[in-house]
Amino acid sequence: MRNRFFLLLDLVLLAPLPYVVIALRFESWTWPPSLLHIVTVYAAFALLSRMVANYVSGVYKCMWKYASMVELERLIFATVFATVLTTLWGAVLIEGFGFAPGRMPYSSLLWDALSAAFLMAAPRLTVRMMGQGTRRYGRDAKRTLLIGAGAYGQTVLREMRLANLPNEPIGFLDDDPQKQDSLLGGVPVLGIVASLPAAIVDHGVDEVIISIASPNGALVRRVVQACTTANV
Protein backbone atom coordinates (compact mmCIF):
# COMPACT_ATOMS: atom_id res chain seq x y z
CA MET A 1 0.00 0.00 0.00
CA ARG A 2 1.57 3.27 -1.10
CA ASN A 3 2.27 6.05 1.38
CA ARG A 4 0.16 8.59 -0.50
CA PHE A 5 -2.80 6.49 0.61
CA PHE A 6 -1.74 6.89 4.24
CA LEU A 7 -1.25 10.64 3.72
CA LEU A 8 -4.78 10.95 2.31
CA LEU A 9 -6.16 8.72 5.06
CA ASP A 10 -4.50 10.88 7.73
CA LEU A 11 -6.06 13.99 6.21
CA VAL A 12 -9.52 12.45 6.13
CA LEU A 13 -9.36 11.04 9.67
CA LEU A 14 -7.49 13.80 11.49
CA ALA A 15 -9.08 16.91 9.99
CA PRO A 16 -12.53 16.48 11.64
CA LEU A 17 -11.19 14.88 14.83
CA PRO A 18 -11.21 18.01 17.08
CA TYR A 19 -14.82 18.73 16.08
CA VAL A 20 -15.84 15.17 16.95
CA VAL A 21 -14.05 15.35 20.30
CA ILE A 22 -15.76 18.63 21.21
CA ALA A 23 -19.14 17.26 20.12
CA LEU A 24 -18.67 14.29 22.43
CA ARG A 25 -17.44 16.55 25.21
CA PHE A 26 -20.57 18.76 25.14
CA GLU A 27 -22.90 16.09 23.74
CA SER A 28 -24.08 18.46 21.06
CA TRP A 29 -23.22 19.73 17.57
CA THR A 30 -24.71 23.14 18.35
CA TRP A 31 -22.01 25.40 19.81
CA PRO A 32 -21.61 29.10 20.59
CA PRO A 33 -19.72 31.03 17.86
CA SER A 34 -16.78 31.55 20.21
CA LEU A 35 -16.33 27.81 20.77
CA LEU A 36 -16.61 27.11 17.05
CA HIS A 37 -13.88 29.69 16.47
CA ILE A 38 -11.63 28.05 19.07
CA VAL A 39 -12.11 24.55 17.66
CA THR A 40 -11.53 25.69 14.06
CA VAL A 41 -8.28 27.47 14.88
CA TYR A 42 -7.12 24.52 16.96
CA ALA A 43 -8.10 21.95 14.31
CA ALA A 44 -6.14 23.76 11.59
CA PHE A 45 -2.99 23.90 13.69
CA ALA A 46 -3.37 20.32 14.94
CA LEU A 47 -3.74 18.91 11.43
CA LEU A 48 -0.74 20.87 10.14
CA SER A 49 1.40 19.84 13.14
CA ARG A 50 0.59 16.16 12.78
CA MET A 51 1.17 16.04 9.04
CA VAL A 52 4.47 17.92 9.33
CA ALA A 53 5.62 15.71 12.23
CA ASN A 54 4.85 12.58 10.20
CA TYR A 55 6.68 13.94 7.17
CA VAL A 56 9.77 15.13 9.06
CA SER A 57 10.08 11.87 11.00
CA GLY A 58 9.87 9.82 7.79
CA VAL A 59 6.55 8.13 8.58
CA TYR A 60 5.39 8.63 4.98
CA LYS A 61 8.53 6.94 3.62
CA CYS A 62 8.17 3.70 5.58
CA MET A 63 7.12 0.45 3.94
CA TRP A 64 4.53 -0.55 6.51
CA LYS A 65 3.97 -3.99 5.06
CA TYR A 66 7.47 -4.90 6.31
CA ALA A 67 7.54 -2.57 9.32
CA SER A 68 9.69 -3.30 12.36
CA MET A 69 10.46 -1.50 15.61
CA VAL A 70 12.38 1.16 13.67
CA GLU A 71 9.25 2.25 11.80
CA LEU A 72 7.19 2.07 14.99
CA GLU A 73 9.72 4.31 16.77
CA ARG A 74 9.35 6.88 13.98
CA LEU A 75 5.58 6.85 14.37
CA ILE A 76 5.82 7.17 18.16
CA PHE A 77 8.25 10.09 17.85
CA ALA A 78 5.96 11.87 15.37
CA THR A 79 2.93 11.30 17.59
CA VAL A 80 4.61 12.51 20.79
CA PHE A 81 6.13 15.55 19.07
CA ALA A 82 2.79 16.56 17.53
CA THR A 83 0.99 15.96 20.85
CA VAL A 84 3.32 18.35 22.67
CA LEU A 85 2.76 21.03 20.03
CA THR A 86 -1.02 20.65 19.89
CA THR A 87 -1.38 20.56 23.67
CA LEU A 88 0.65 23.75 24.12
CA TRP A 89 -1.29 25.40 21.33
CA GLY A 90 -4.73 24.40 22.54
CA ALA A 91 -4.12 24.97 26.25
CA VAL A 92 -2.02 28.14 26.25
CA LEU A 93 -0.90 29.69 22.98
CA ILE A 94 -4.20 29.82 21.11
CA GLU A 95 -5.59 32.26 23.69
CA GLY A 96 -2.31 33.84 24.76
CA PHE A 97 -1.48 35.04 21.27
CA GLY A 98 -5.02 36.18 20.59
CA PHE A 99 -5.89 33.66 17.88
CA ALA A 100 -9.09 32.67 19.68
CA PRO A 101 -11.25 34.04 22.54
CA GLY A 102 -10.47 31.09 24.80
CA ARG A 103 -8.63 27.79 25.16
CA MET A 104 -9.59 24.22 24.36
CA PRO A 105 -11.00 22.13 27.26
CA TYR A 106 -8.23 20.05 28.84
CA SER A 107 -10.24 16.85 28.60
CA SER A 108 -10.82 17.45 24.89
CA LEU A 109 -7.09 17.94 24.35
CA LEU A 110 -6.42 14.61 26.03
CA TRP A 111 -8.99 12.70 23.99
CA ASP A 112 -7.90 14.44 20.81
CA ALA A 113 -4.29 13.35 21.37
CA LEU A 114 -5.21 9.75 22.21
CA SER A 115 -7.63 9.49 19.30
CA ALA A 116 -5.10 10.93 16.85
CA ALA A 117 -2.47 8.42 17.98
CA PHE A 118 -4.93 5.58 17.46
CA LEU A 119 -6.10 6.81 14.05
CA MET A 120 -2.53 7.10 12.79
CA ALA A 121 -1.31 3.80 14.20
CA ALA A 122 -4.26 1.49 13.52
CA PRO A 123 -4.22 1.53 9.67
CA ARG A 124 -0.45 1.08 9.55
CA LEU A 125 -0.37 -1.78 12.03
CA THR A 126 -3.27 -3.41 10.19
CA VAL A 127 -1.27 -3.32 6.95
CA ARG A 128 1.73 -4.75 8.81
CA MET A 129 -0.32 -7.65 10.17
CA MET A 130 -1.90 -8.30 6.79
CA GLY A 131 1.55 -8.27 5.21
CA GLN A 132 2.73 -10.96 7.58
CA GLY A 133 -0.50 -12.90 7.25
CA THR A 134 -1.26 -16.36 8.55
CA ARG A 135 0.34 -19.05 6.45
CA ARG A 136 -1.19 -22.45 5.90
CA TYR A 137 1.40 -25.16 5.50
CA GLY A 138 0.77 -28.14 3.28
CA ARG A 139 1.84 -31.72 3.80
CA ASP A 140 5.08 -31.11 1.90
CA ALA A 141 6.24 -28.37 4.28
CA LYS A 142 9.45 -29.08 6.18
CA ARG A 143 8.86 -29.11 9.92
CA THR A 144 11.68 -26.86 11.07
CA LEU A 145 13.28 -26.45 14.48
CA LEU A 146 15.35 -23.33 15.19
CA ILE A 147 18.31 -23.27 17.58
CA GLY A 148 18.46 -19.91 19.30
CA ALA A 149 15.44 -17.86 20.42
CA GLY A 150 16.99 -14.41 20.30
CA ALA A 151 17.09 -11.39 18.01
CA TYR A 152 18.73 -13.39 15.22
CA GLY A 153 16.22 -16.18 15.67
CA GLN A 154 13.41 -13.68 15.29
CA THR A 155 15.04 -12.38 12.10
CA VAL A 156 15.37 -15.88 10.65
CA LEU A 157 11.76 -16.65 11.53
CA ARG A 158 10.53 -13.41 9.97
CA GLU A 159 12.52 -13.89 6.76
CA MET A 160 11.34 -17.49 6.54
CA ARG A 161 7.75 -16.29 6.57
CA LEU A 162 8.21 -13.31 4.26
CA ALA A 163 10.10 -15.36 1.67
CA ASN A 164 7.36 -18.03 1.69
CA LEU A 165 9.92 -20.77 2.18
CA PRO A 166 8.61 -24.35 2.39
CA ASN A 167 9.52 -24.45 6.08
CA GLU A 168 7.00 -24.71 8.90
CA PRO A 169 8.60 -23.35 12.10
CA ILE A 170 7.44 -25.57 14.93
CA GLY A 171 9.63 -24.33 17.77
CA PHE A 172 12.87 -23.00 19.18
CA LEU A 173 15.50 -24.52 21.44
CA ASP A 174 17.48 -22.19 23.68
CA ASP A 175 19.64 -22.65 26.78
CA ASP A 176 18.41 -19.45 28.44
CA PRO A 177 16.16 -20.58 31.34
CA GLN A 178 14.15 -17.34 31.19
CA LYS A 179 13.03 -18.15 27.63
CA GLN A 180 11.58 -21.56 28.42
CA ASP A 181 7.83 -21.99 27.88
CA SER A 182 7.65 -18.64 26.11
CA LEU A 183 6.73 -17.58 22.57
CA LEU A 184 8.84 -15.80 19.97
CA GLY A 185 6.87 -14.62 16.96
CA GLY A 186 4.09 -16.98 18.00
CA VAL A 187 6.46 -19.98 17.94
CA PRO A 188 7.10 -21.76 21.27
CA VAL A 189 10.45 -22.37 22.95
CA LEU A 190 10.34 -26.15 23.41
CA GLY A 191 13.38 -26.68 25.60
CA ILE A 192 17.16 -26.43 25.81
CA VAL A 193 19.64 -27.38 23.10
CA ALA A 194 20.53 -30.63 24.91
CA SER A 195 16.97 -31.83 24.26
CA LEU A 196 17.48 -31.65 20.47
CA PRO A 197 17.57 -35.44 19.85
CA ALA A 198 14.31 -35.93 21.74
CA ALA A 199 12.70 -32.85 20.14
CA ILE A 200 13.48 -34.16 16.65
CA VAL A 201 11.62 -37.38 17.42
CA ASP A 202 8.77 -35.89 19.46
CA HIS A 203 7.90 -33.19 16.93
CA GLY A 204 8.69 -34.96 13.68
CA VAL A 205 11.40 -32.47 12.70
CA ASP A 206 12.62 -32.46 9.08
CA GLU A 207 15.14 -29.63 9.25
CA VAL A 208 17.14 -27.80 11.91
CA ILE A 209 18.40 -24.24 11.51
CA ILE A 210 20.98 -22.68 13.79
CA SER A 211 19.53 -19.19 14.31
CA ILE A 212 22.39 -17.76 16.35
CA ALA A 213 24.50 -14.94 14.91
CA SER A 214 27.86 -16.33 16.10
CA PRO A 215 27.48 -19.91 17.37
CA ASN A 216 30.53 -21.48 18.99
CA GLY A 217 32.10 -24.60 17.55
CA ALA A 218 30.97 -26.87 20.39
CA LEU A 219 27.34 -25.94 19.84
CA VAL A 220 27.58 -26.49 16.09
CA ARG A 221 29.15 -29.92 16.62
CA ARG A 222 26.40 -30.94 19.05
CA VAL A 223 23.68 -29.88 16.62
CA VAL A 224 25.33 -31.55 13.64
CA GLN A 225 25.85 -34.78 15.55
CA ALA A 226 22.20 -34.90 16.69
CA CYS A 227 20.96 -34.14 13.17
CA THR A 228 23.25 -36.71 11.57
CA THR A 229 22.11 -39.40 13.98
CA ALA A 230 18.45 -38.55 13.31
CA ASN A 231 19.04 -38.22 9.56
CA VAL A 232 17.66 -34.66 9.33
Side-chain angles (χ1 to χ4, degrees), residues 162-178:
L162 289 175
N164 287 322
L165 297 177
N167 296 77
E168 178 184 0
I170 61 167
F172 287 93
L173 295 182
D174 198 289
D175 286 336
D176 188 344
Q178 295 184 351

Side-chain angles (χ1 to χ4, degrees), residues 8-171:
L8 179 61
L9 188 62
D10 287 343
L11 286 172
V12 171
L13 294 178
L14 297 177
L17 180 60
Y19 296 94
V20 174
V21 170
I22 288 294
L24 293 174
R25 166 68 171 77
F26 293 100
E27 299 184 0
S28 173
W29 286 98
T30 304
W31 312 328
S34 59
L35 179 59
L36 179 61
H37 183 191
I38 293 171
V39 178
T40 300
V41 174
Y42 172 79
F45 180 85
L47 179 62
L48 178 62
S49 299
R50 285 160 180 159
M51 301 301 290
V52 170
N54 284 350
Y55 180 81
V56 172
S57 62
V59 169
Y60 292 124
K61 295 182 179 180
C62 298
M63 294 189 293
W64 290 99
K65 182 178 179 180
Y66 308 106
S68 63
M69 283 301 300
V70 175
E71 287 76 16
L72 184 59
E73 288 170 0
R74 288 177 181 268
L75 182 60
I76 292 174
F77 172 80
T79 302
V80 171
F81 182 71
T83 297
V84 172
L85 292 179
T86 55
T87 301
L88 285 174
W89 175 255
V92 180
L93 302 181
I94 191 173
E95 182 180 16
F97 285 110
F99 289 99
R103 61 169 177 81
M104 286 281 289
Y106 293 137
S107 60
S108 298
L109 289 174
L110 174 62
W111 284 112
D112 179 67
L114 294 175
S115 300
F118 173 79
L119 291 176
M120 287 191 291
R124 293 169 170 87
L125 296 181
T126 299
V127 169
R128 173 65 182 88
M129 291 190 300
M130 291 175 61
Q132 180 171 327
T134 302
R135 285 193 58 188
R136 294 184 178 181
Y137 298 94
R139 295 181 178 179
D140 296 333
K142 297 180 180 179
R143 294 176 59 81
T144 304
L145 190 63
L146 294 94
I147 309 298
Y152 196 69
Q154 185 180 36
T155 300
V156 172
L157 177 64
R158 182 166 175 262
E159 293 301 320
M160 186 186 301
R161 287 169 170 169
L162 289 175
N164 287 322
L165 297 177
N167 296 77
E168 178 184 0
I170 61 167

Side-chain angles (χ1 to χ4, degrees), residues 143-223:
R143 294 176 59 81
T144 304
L145 190 63
L146 294 94
I147 309 298
Y152 196 69
Q154 185 180 36
T155 300
V156 172
L157 177 64
R158 182 166 175 262
E159 293 301 320
M160 186 186 301
R161 287 169 170 169
L162 289 175
N164 287 322
L165 297 177
N167 296 77
E168 178 184 0
I170 61 167
F172 287 93
L173 295 182
D174 198 289
D175 286 336
D176 188 344
Q178 295 184 351
K179 296 178 181 178
Q180 304 304 312
D181 298 320
S182 59
L183 297 173
L184 178 61
V187 177
V189 178
L190 301 174
I192 60 176
V193 179
S195 66
L196 176 57
I200 291 175
V201 176
D202 294 342
H203 299 282
V205 174
D206 300 309
E207 187 171 304
V208 175
I209 296 178
I210 299 179
S211 53
I212 300 174
S214 301
N216 59 60
L219 173 65
V220 173
R221 286 191 293 271
R222 288 164 57 197
V223 173

